[in-house]
Amino acid sequence: MARKDTADTVDPRLRRPIPAAFGMDEVFWAAWLYYEQGQKQDQIADQLGISRASVFNLLQKARDEGVVNISIDPSRIARAELSQRLCESFGIAECFILTEQKDAGALHRQIGHLGARVLESRLNGQDTIGVAWGRTVLALSQYLNTVNQPNVTIAQITGSSAATFDFSPVLCTSNIAGRLSARCVNLHAPGVVSSARVKDILMEEPAIREHFALLKQCRKTVFGVTQLEGETLLVTGGFMSQAEVEAYRDLGAVGFASGYFFAEDGRIISSEFDDRHITMPLEDLRAVPERICVGGGPGKAVAVRAMLRAGIASVLVTDEATARSVVDSV
């Protein structure tokens, strides 16, 4: 008797129907049996009629092709005792702490990697997310998984500088938007202009006014933190001159984050530079419900502690050594 054709076929190696939509997609079935049904690789090899090494290769291919996305719940890290101490000391909502790393030279990338997982875990399909600039923010953008969030808006919160192109606001913003398949809105204005009058004129431009109106809708912001002692990204990145940084230090500033300088006690420090700096207004920044700072490393503990006292961040992603130094000095 002739076999009756059906929408699904049965592979004798699998001993189960194979949906026609998947055909003989061994990558999919290896991933399904391993991750969804909890089978061991030897069992999968037997069912698919292939070697255990081939199963391993199929599972790796499933990750590479995006059939499987593996994520670690960062909330487990947030519940650590050190995180709780830091949150209680500074009144922030959450702190995610990277465990001690051997490769300290790449610490900003490791913090950015953890920051990417934190941001992913908090994404809302209608979010407007403000993005600043820096090496750690750029690393975060590079470690984000590729997902489809077309209703999310990624907006640049500070003006641009050609000198900081390697980790510029434009690059950080566009990278995050690209990873999320989200709407990207760049701020088409320089980060620093020649005079307060030029800034006033630019801020009256309709396109600039609309951009800053959009920033008021932000539900999240993502930014780094920079120390002012020693080599600082503000100078090496070409954003400011050493003299301009020294002027802030003379006024008592110890750090910079999301467009603002602050003293060790959390006071915001201003100079004539602020009159020329185009960035999200401080009152709008502090009104954002989730303000995620990614930053840490040698020499940054003082800046991180002062930034938290200034109320600029509500969520901190940092490394263990920095976190301990911050809480031990309270």
Side-chain angles (χ1 to χ4, degrees), residues 200-219:
D200 290 342
I201 292 172
L202 275 175
M203 295 300 288
E204 288 302 316
E205 284 293 312
I208 305 299
R209 288 205 311 268
E210 289 175 10
H211 189 95
F212 280 90
L214 173 66
L215 294 182
K216 289 178 180 289
Q217 301 174 26
C218 284
R219 306 301 297 167

Side-chain angles (χ1 to χ4, degrees), residues 78 115 127 150 160 203 245 312-313 321 326:
D127 267 333
S160 304
M203 295 300 288
V245 171
I312 292 176
V326 168

Side-chain angles (χ1 to χ4, degrees), residues 187-330:
L187 175 54
H188 300 294
V192 183
V193 293
S194 58
S195 68
R197 175 169 170 73
V198 172
K199 177 181 175 179
D200 290 342
I201 292 172
L202 275 175
M203 295 300 288
E204 288 302 316
E205 284 293 312
I208 305 299
R209 288 205 311 268
E210 289 175 10
H211 189 95
F212 280 90
L214 173 66
L215 294 182
K216 289 178 180 289
Q217 301 174 26
C218 284
R219 306 301 297 167
K220 298 175 178 64
T221 53
V222 179
F223 54 91
V225 59
T226 302
Q227 84 284 356
L228 302 188
E229 288 286 345
E231 186 178 84
T232 172
L233 198 63
L234 294 169
V235 176
T236 60
F239 184 72
M240 300 177 70
S241 68
Q242 186 63 45
E244 288 170 328
V245 171
E246 290 297 333
Y248 277 99
R249 290 185 59 190
D250 291 344
L251 293 170
V254 297
F256 173 89
S258 200
Y260 294 93
F261 291 85
F262 35 82
E264 193 164 359
D265 62 2
R267 288 178 298 113
I268 298 298
I269 303 295
S270 299
S271 80
E272 64 82 27
F273 181 85
D274 293 272
D275 298 330
R276 301 184 286 112
H277 186 196
I278 297 177
T279 191
M280 186 176 187
L282 183 60
E283 61 272 21
D284 292 346
L285 174 64
R286 283 174 166 164
V288 175
E290 294 182 273
R291 306 177 304 281
I292 304 169
C293 177
V294 287
K300 285 196 176 182
V302 171
V304 170
R305 183 167 55 247
M307 182 270 304
L308 294 175
R309 286 173 172 160
I312 292 176
S314 64
V315 176
L316 176 65
V317 182
T318 191
D319 62 285
E320 187 173 353
T322 299
R324 292 196 182 282
S325 182
V326 168
V327 295
D328 289 346
S329 301
V330 174

Side-chain angles (χ1 to χ4, degrees), residues 39-72:
Q39 295 193 27
K40 296 180 180 179
Q41 293 187 22
D42 287 334
Q43 293 174 300
I44 299 169
D46 180 61
Q47 291 203 52
L48 295 182
I50 58 179
S51 68
R52 190 177 186 279
S54 295
V55 173
F56 177 86
N57 291 335
L58 289 173
L59 294 174
Q60 182 61 53
K61 191 173 181 181
R63 291 191 291 270
D64 293 342
E65 293 181 353
V67 174
V68 172
N69 288 312
I70 299 174
S71 63
I72 297 174

